[in-house]
C-alpha cells in the first residue's frame, strides 16, 4: 500500500477511526499513521487483529491505542473516549467508518441503531475532545447516499435507509460543528471490491459485483477507497460537505 498523505503532515495530531481493525477502517488508519498521526484503533470483536495492526503502526514511530467498544452501547462509547482523553488529551480527526446491518441474528432495528443512533452518539460523546480545526468524516455508500432517488438491491435497502438516516442526522449538526471550528465531510463510495458488504450482497445477488463493475467502468478496492477517506480528513471541506468517490452516472441526483 503506497503512502499518499505527505510524511509528517499529521505529526502531533490524533485520529480515531471506528471499525478500524480490518477493511477500509484499517487502511484508513494506516494512511493517517504514515502521515505521522497518533491513532486510535477501534474494534468490536476483532481484538487480535486490532493489536496486530497497532504493532505494525508503532513501527512507524507513532502511538497507537487499541480500544474495544460496542458503538450501540453509550457506556462503552464513553469508556472509549475516556481512554482517548487519558492517552492523548484530545482528538483532531474522527472517522465514522463502522457500519453494519446485514449480519445475521441481529434485532430488526439493529441497522438503525448502529448506522444512525450510534453515529450521532459517537459524535456527541467525542465533541468535548475535538480540537479547534479538527475534522469529522462520515463514510457511506452511493447506494445509501442516493437511496431516495435511486433504488438499490432489496437485501441492502434496510442498511441503505439507515445509513442515509445517519448521514442526515449528522448533517443537522453541521452548524454547531462549524461554530466549534470543526469540519464535517461525507465520503460516499460506489460498491467497493473486497468489503464484507460487497461479499454479502454478492452472496444474495450472484453477479452483482461484476454487473456493477461493468456499469461503472471501474470499482475501487479497499485500499483505494480508504485513501480517499484519509484524504477527506485533510483536504478543504467541499461546499456541500460531500466527497463522491467513483462513478455516479447511474445515480439520480438528490
Amino acid at each position: 500500500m503506497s503512502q499518499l498523505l505527505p510524511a509528517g503532515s499529521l505529526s502531533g495530531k490524533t485520529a480515531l477511526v471506528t471499525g478500524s481493525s480490518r477493511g477500509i477502517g484499517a487502511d484508513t488508519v494506516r494512511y493517517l499513521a504514515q502521515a505521522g498521526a497518533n491513532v486510535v484503533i477501534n474494534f468490536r470483536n476483532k481484538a487480535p487483529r486490532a493489536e496486530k495492526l497497532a504493532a505494525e503502526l508503532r513501527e512507524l514511530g507513532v502511538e497507537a491505542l487499541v480500544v474495544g467498544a460496542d458503538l450501540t452501547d453509550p457506556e462503552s462509547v464513553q469508556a472509549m473516549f475516556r481512554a482517548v482523553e487519558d492517552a492523548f488529551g484530545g482528538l483532531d480527526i474522527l472517522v465514522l467508518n463502522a457500519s453494519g446491518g446485514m449480519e445475521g441474528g441481529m434485532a430488526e432495528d439493529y441497522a438503525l441503531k448502529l448506522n444512525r443512533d450510534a453515529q450521532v452518539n459517537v459524535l456527541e460523546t467525542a465533541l468535548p475532545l475535538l480540537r479547534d480545526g479538527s475534522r469529522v468524516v462520515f463514510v457511506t455508500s452511493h447506494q445509501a447516499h442516493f437511496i431516495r432517488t435511486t433504488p438499490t438491491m432489496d437485501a441492502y435497502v434496510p442498511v441503505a435507509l439507515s445509513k442515509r438516516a445517519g448521514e442526515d442526522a449528522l448533517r443537522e449538526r453541521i452548524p454547531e460543528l462549524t461554530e466549534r471550528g470543526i469540519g464535517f465531510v461525507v465520503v460516499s463510495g460506489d460498491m467497493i471490491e473486497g468489503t464484507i458488504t460487497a461479499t454479502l450482497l454478492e452472496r444474495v445477488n450472484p453477479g452483482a459485483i461484476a454487473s456493477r463493475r461493468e456499469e461503472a467502468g471501474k470499482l475501487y478496492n479497499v485500499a483505494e477507497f480508504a485513501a480517499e477517506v484519509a484524504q477527506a480528513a485533510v483536504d478543504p471541506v467541499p461546499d456541500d460537505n460531500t466527497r463522491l468517490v467513483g462513478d455516479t452516472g447511474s445515480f439520480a441526483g438528490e
Side-chain angles (χ1 to χ4, degrees):
M1 191 173 83
S2 61
Q3 178 173 323
L4 295 179
L5 301 176
S9 59
L10 291 178
S11 292
K13 306 289 187 182
T14 301
L16 185 155
V17 181
T18 62
S20 49
S21 66
R22 61 182 176 182
I24 293 166
D27 277 356
T28 300
V29 160
R30 281 191 181 94
Y31 286 123
L32 297 173
Q34 286 175 354
N38 295 319
V39 293
V40 183
I41 300 166
N42 159 251
F43 70 94
R44 189 180 67 182
N45 53 18
K46 301 288 181 187
R49 208 179 284 189
E51 292 289 357
K52 183 179 179 183
L53 176 60
E56 171 194 327
L57 300 185
R58 290 180 190 124
E59 294 289 319
L60 300 172
V62 303
E63 294 183 54
L65 175 68
V66 176
V67 187
D70 176 354
L71 300 187
T72 64
D73 177 359
E75 289 185 7
S76 184
V77 170
Q78 287 174 357
M80 175 172 71
F81 284 110
R82 281 197 298 272
V84 172
E85 185 172 20
D86 289 346
F88 300 114
L91 266 182
D92 302 285
I93 296 169
L94 172 63
V95 180
L96 299 170
N97 165 72
S99 66
M102 293 190 71
E103 304 91 334
M106 294 296 188
E108 193 175 330
D109 63 348
Y110 177 70
L112 205 54
K113 277 187 173 177
L114 176 59
N115 297 330
R116 183 194 65 189
D117 302 346
Q119 306 300 319
V120 172
N121 180 60
V122 169
L123 174 59
E124 290 180 346
T125 309
L127 272 180
L129 297 184
L130 287 168
R131 301 182 176 107
D132 184 39
S134 60
R135 181 72 54 87
V136 176
V137 179
F138 176 68
V139 181
T140 189
S141 66
H142 290 352
Q143 289 76 14
H145 180 69
F146 293 104
I147 188 61
R148 294 204 190 95
T149 56
T150 307
T152 189
M153 289 170 274
D154 290 345
Y156 192 65
V157 168
V159 176
L161 289 172
S162 65
K163 283 189 69 66
R164 182 66 222 206
E167 178 182 336
D168 291 342
L170 291 168
R171 284 182 183 275
E172 288 176 9
R173 267 70 179 179
I174 290 176
E176 177 191 358
L177 294 175
T178 302
E179 196 171 307
R180 288 171 173 259
I182 301 167
F184 176 80
V185 183
V186 171
V187 180
S188 177
D190 200 352
M191 194 180 287
I192 309 298
E193 298 206 57
T195 61
I196 295 169
T197 299
T199 302
L200 291 172
L201 286 172
E202 180 72 17
R203 194 175 298 162
V204 177
N205 296 281
I209 294 175
S211 174
R212 181 61 198 143
R213 188 190 305 115
E214 185 177 346
E215 187 177 21
K218 168 188 166 60
L219 293 181
Y220 281 63
N221 63 31
V222 168
E224 289 170 333
F225 183 64
E228 295 284 344
V229 175
Q231 202 67 49
V234 297
D235 282 353
V237 176
D239 290 341
D240 62 355
N241 300 87
T242 309
R243 186 184 185 105
L244 299 175
V245 181
D247 176 67
T248 57
S250 309
F251 298 90
E254 293 185 83

